[in-house]
Amino acid sequence: MFSPRSALLLSLVLLGASVSADAAVKARIRVTPPANESAKPQPRTKAVSAEGKPNVLFIIADDLRDYVGWMGGHPQSLTPNMDRLAKMGMRFTNAHCNYALCNPSRTSLLTGMLPSSSGVFGNEQDWRRSVQIVGKPTLPEYFKSQGYITAAAGKIFHANHGGPEGRLAGWHGGRRGFEQDAAWDQRFPQPGVQIPDLPVHTGQNFNGLNIWHWDWGGIPVEEEKTDDGQVVAFAADFLAQKQAKPFFLALGLYRPHSPWYVPQKYFDALPLDSIKLPEVKADDLDDVPAIAKTHLKEGYHQQIIEKNLWKDAVRAYLANVAFCDAMLGRILAAVEKSPGAKNTIIVFTSDHGWYLGEKQMWHKGKLWEETTRIPLSIYAPGLSQPDSATSQPVALIDLYPTLCDLTGLPSPEHLDGSSLKPLLQDPKSKRDRPAITCMSGGKNAGYAARDERWRYIRYADGSEELYDHQTDPHEWTNLASKPEHATLKTTLAGFFPKEFQSALRPVAQIMGAPSPAGSDDLVLNIGDTLSAAEAPKLKGRGVFIDAAFEFDPLVDQDSTLLAQGDEQSGYALHFVASQPTLTVFADGKSTAITGAALEKGRINLRAQVETGGVITLAVPGHSEVLGVAPFEQGFPQEPKAGLAAGQSFGILKNAAYPNSTPFDGQVHRLNLTVLPPHLAAAKAASPEPAKKP
């Protein structure tokens, strides 16, 4: 039951809320921009015929480090097909990613832009919303515009397994992930979905670590029914057909990404007692700066040691690499039988590497060799030389211009990389720049430069590492403090980006000056972010939100439209199992009102937090809900966190909202009015009038 105060407020607000809401809308003087143009980048080039050009088969594995036979990363690697493909053309023994994390690495590869150019550096960051990328075609999008048939199966842009339920969205990605629907003529398993469902979902806790995203074990699933097996079957069918035009076929093999679930026979081929651990040095971290050791707080290595699971983990990774290799073998067999076998360029690579205990590190990230170095082999019929190799430094950023060069397409102007065609033609040729890898972003960005001999790392705080790969392939001895290397460091640092571009719209495009009535009006796009200092003040004020958008329950059922503040003072307009929800936070507690579940289609939604203490949520013609806020005179204090439109988590903590996702659909309107201060709060904040003498 409502208290007498709340009941009175509710009775008064039934009309007043709608009146104030309408007034807020009419008071706007700025025009809402076209709906979410960043969600649909438009190529600037005219479509042309690709007749007579070679096909492109682009294959990318996930989290695959140098545990490949020809790379020599581990003596027990079982990769005959990766080795065979490498000998068909050129193997690049010194290839590196541009960011050792899935989303920024794949975004860099597929846009041809360094992370410092695109502004994309996190896994939760929807690359499609970056203002730096808008209007610049991605690799498959560009080939499509140039007359190619484009098809894809598996993870190409960022996505993941979808958590314990195999969701299309959520759990830091989902099987849809940040897909670019417009890039493909054909998509498997279906339009809008990147990764097929694996019958055994992550979180089985086979290894006893109880870490939902990092588990391993043999599963009773036929190879053809695994996610990668389904991708390979699609590829075989596609390649067997004679296509009407040259094709660009992108295949994403999810292994060896965790969970390390593959058929048991791949584990059986690697007896546990025979497994060799990576070479490590007990005091390896003694000479690296503090900023490089933040991973120790996670405690993964300590858990592995305490539970005696190091050999188990290495075995599981090797088993998954072997499974990935078997899938590649099926693809190669399909190519060899295909009508276009003699006219198909084949690229095989990975998005980044993986740590298996080196430097007490597990998973990905950082700027060391184990996670930046990747397999890369290119077979270009009539151009690449069989069984050729180069140790020149190259990076994933170079693949976009390379494929343009190999197919005779002009390269778009926005590309940061350079073509590898000269190396394919002449393996003895040299490159004049190192491979650059980034970590973090903005003012916190750090970089690594890797040339043919040296790795130089410089972090945001100015601390450094320098390794000589001629004498120290494990990067055990940091030489950065040696004065004789000063010139070398300066030379390598000269290749680091001079600035890190922001993916965000500037504040001036989002929010203008306060209105004469004292309100702040914001015209938002999904992806907009304001810091606590930039966002409108909340203390003593309420908010009104007016939105119109396309809703898809399969993708957006647990997404967030708008959030501001923190658990001490803030709000979130989001969805819980497709139900629109307004959650208000004050003093560490939350109050929520929830409407009826939405169906697919266009939705108009209004939400309001009155300064007098009433909260409302309405979907015209569908549902309207009223509630009482946990305060009576506007938000109780200024939050320490800012504002974010269409982003996951934030004020919604992972433990309570594990399915939180960025809003994926098209947004036609997302307007926010931060209402004038409550009279009592405004009076308390105003200075006392001067007393007459």
Side-chain angles (χ1 to χ4, degrees):
M1 295 292 291
F2 294 142
S3 67
R5 176 187 73 84
S6 301
L8 176 61
L9 285 170
L10 288 173
S11 63
L12 292 174
V13 83
L14 287 175
L15 177 63
S18 60
V19 171
S20 62
D22 289 337
V25 173
K26 293 177 181 178
R28 300 182 186 280
I29 60 174
R30 287 180 291 154
V31 179
T32 303
N36 233 340
E37 292 176 334
S38 59
K40 298 187 293 183
Q42 299 297 316
R44 296 175 178 174
T45 53
K46 296 181 180 179
V48 296
S49 172
E51 185 177 354
K53 295 186 179 297
N55 305 310
V56 175
L57 173 57
F58 173 75
I59 310 166
I60 184 167
D62 206 328
D63 291 7
L64 179 59
R65 59 173 290 173
D66 62 355
Y67 279 24
V68 177
W70 67 264
M71 298 181 74
H74 196 284
Q76 293 170 292
S77 297
L78 302 173
T79 59
N81 296 296
M82 296 180 197
D83 298 343
R84 179 165 69 92
L85 176 58
K87 289 185 176 181
M88 288 169 58
M90 171 169 277
R91 53 193 183 275
F92 295 82
T93 64
N94 194 13
H96 299 267
C97 65
N98 296 105
Y99 201 111
L101 197 62
C102 296
N103 185 45
S105 176
R106 289 169 182 261
T107 298
S108 181
L109 188 165
L110 292 163
T111 63
M113 303 169 67
L114 288 166
S116 54
S117 297
S118 70
V120 177
F121 60 93
N123 263 0
E124 297 295 330
Q125 187 180 4
D126 189 340
W127 68 269
R128 299 169 298 184
R129 314 295 187 181
S130 169
V131 298
Q132 306 297 340
I133 295 175
V134 173
K136 300 178 177 71
T138 63
L139 176 60
E141 188 180 26
Y142 182 64
F143 269 73
K144 183 178 180 181
S145 76
Q146 297 300 305
Y148 272 75
I149 295 172
T150 57
K155 176 179 174 180
I156 306 302
F157 296 95
H158 178 55
N160 74 3
H161 42 64
E165 300 173 21
R167 285 174 167 244
L168 291 185
W171 296 86
H172 305 278
R175 294 189 296 111
R176 169 170 168 76
F178 300 143
E179 168 71 315
Q180 187 184 31
D181 298 323
W184 313 111
D185 293 307
Q186 297 181 43
R187 217 334 165 174
F188 180 85
Q190 66 188 66
V193 180
Q194 295 199 71
I195 304 177
D197 193 20
L198 179 68
V200 179
H201 294 153
T202 190
Q204 303 297 320
N205 199 28
F206 293 141
N207 60 15
L209 288 173
N210 200 29
I211 301 173
W212 67 268
H213 59 84
W214 188 31
D215 191 23
W216 61 77
I219 56 173
V221 177
E222 296 176 8
E223 293 183 9
E224 294 75 11
K225 295 181 179 180
T226 63
D227 42 9
D228 287 340
Q230 296 175 58
V231 167
V232 169
F234 167 84
D237 288 343
F238 180 92
L239 291 167
Q241 303 170 30
K242 183 174 178 57
Q243 304 296 332
K245 300 187 293 184
F247 63 78
F248 180 100
L249 174 62
L251 302 176
L253 298 176
Y254 197 58
R255 299 298 171 275
H257 192 290
S258 62
W260 293 332
Y261 295 167
V262 295
Q264 183 63 41
K265 70 177 186 179
Y266 291 95
F267 283 83
D268 294 341
L270 296 156
L272 182 59
D273 58 3
S274 71
I275 296 299
K276 296 181 179 179
L277 297 179
E279 293 185 63
V280 297
K281 188 169 177 274
D283 60 352
D284 191 9
L285 293 174
D286 287 359
D287 61 355
V288 304
I291 194 172
K293 296 186 280 191
T294 55
H295 62 284
L296 297 179
K297 298 177 182 178
E298 298 172 347
Y300 288 139
H301 191 65
Q302 183 176 353
Q303 291 183 62
I304 291 291
I305 298 301
E306 289 176 352
K307 295 182 178 292
N308 194 29
L309 289 175
W310 201 344
K311 280 193 173 185
D312 292 77
V314 173
R315 178 199 191 200
Y317 186 83
L318 287 168
N320 278 253
V321 171
F323 175 79
C324 176
D325 183 81
M327 297 300 101
L328 176 63
R330 296 187 182 191
I331 296 171
L332 295 180
V335 173
E336 290 164 352
K337 298 176 184 177
S338 71
K342 296 181 179 181
N343 193 36
T344 299
I345 297 165
I346 306 176
V347 177
F348 177 76
T349 191
S350 171
D351 50 2
H352 48 72
W354 223 86
Y355 298 98
L356 286 157
E358 299 91 347
K359 289 181 167 58
Q360 300 182 43
M361 180 80 182
W362 293 82
H363 302 285
K364 43 208 162 190
K366 304 292 185 181
L367 293 169
W368 295 309
E369 187 88 352
E370 289 83 4
T371 194
T372 74
R373 189 179 179 220
I374 51 166
L376 174 60
S377 57
I378 298 178
Y379 168 64
L383 181 71
S384 60
Q385 300 177 27
D387 200 12
S388 58
T390 177
S391 61
Q392 292 298 296
V394 303
L396 290 178
I397 201 75
D398 299 319
L399 289 181
Y400 194 147
T402 299
L403 289 174
C404 288
D405 207 1
L406 293 178
T407 55
L409 299 179
S411 292
E413 294 181 359
H414 73 273
L415 304 185
D416 288 330
S418 56
S419 175
L420 303 178
K421 184 177 178 180
L423 286 173
L424 291 167
Q425 292 175 313
D426 179 9
K428 295 181 180 179
S429 61
K430 301 290 184 181
R431 283 166 66 88
D432 60 359
R433 58 181 51 244
I436 301 297
T437 303
C438 177
M439 181 183 77
S440 194
K443 64 181 181 180
N444 297 316
Y447 298 97
R450 178 69 158 89
D451 67 11
E452 199 167 6
R453 176 177 175 180
W454 300 90
R455 171 178 296 275
Y456 173 58
I457 299 172
R458 189 176 68 193
Y459 297 99
D461 64 358
S463 56
E464 303 169 302
E465 295 176 55
L466 179 69
Y467 300 103
D468 182 354
H469 273 259
Q470 281 189 358
T471 59
D472 182 22
H474 298 293
E475 298 183 347
W476 285 342
T477 305
N478 181 7
L479 302 174
S481 62
K482 301 291 185 181
E484 61 265 32
H485 298 311
T487 300
L488 170 65
K489 292 190 299 180
T490 299
T491 299
L492 292 174
F495 292 98
F496 293 153
K498 300 301 184 288
E499 59 180 328
F500 200 102
Q501 300 290 337
S502 174
L504 307 175
R505 289 198 301 159
V507 178
Q509 293 183 14
I510 301 171
M511 179 174 67
S515 72
S519 65
D520 287 297
D521 296 323
L522 289 76
V523 180
L524 295 160
N525 286 345
I526 295 298
D528 285 341
T529 300
L530 299 177
S531 68
E534 296 167 334
K537 302 300 181 184
L538 276 186
K539 184 177 180 180
R541 309 175 76 178
V543 299
F544 170 70
I545 305 166
D546 175 35
F549 50 89
E550 301 297 328
F551 185 78
D552 184 349
L554 292 177
V555 178
D556 295 316
Q557 59 180 312
D558 291 286
S559 62
T560 299
L561 267 178
L562 180 63
Q564 182 179 1
D566 51 37
E567 292 174 298
Q568 298 304 311
S569 185
Y571 62 91
L573 179 59
H574 59 115
F575 303 94
V576 177
S578 296
Q579 296 176 290
T581 302
L582 177 62
T583 302
V584 179
F585 296 84
D587 301 321
K589 299 179 181 179
S590 65
T591 299
I593 54 174
T594 301
L598 301 177
E599 297 181 353
K600 185 174 182 178
R602 177 162 178 155
I603 304 295
N604 291 290
L605 184 152
R606 289 182 175 182
Q608 185 158 352
V609 180
E610 283 281 328
T611 54
V614 174
I615 53 179
T616 63
L617 181 66
V619 178
H622 185 73
S623 63
E624 183 172 2
V625 188
L626 303 176
V628 179
F631 43 74
E632 298 182 18
Q633 298 179 7
F635 287 94
Q637 57 186 285
E638 295 299 346
K640 296 180 179 179
L643 176 150
Q647 299 182 34
S648 56
F649 299 113
I651 197 172
L652 303 176
K653 300 306 177 186
N654 184 34
Y657 300 93
N659 293 320
S660 177
T661 62
F663 188 82
D664 187 271
Q666 184 179 9
V667 173
H668 304 287
R669 182 177 68 252
L670 182 56
N671 296 332
L672 167 67
T673 296
V674 181
L675 304 173
H678 186 273
L679 291 177
K683 184 177 180 180
S686 62
E688 292 289 333
K691 295 182 179 180
K692 295 182 179 180

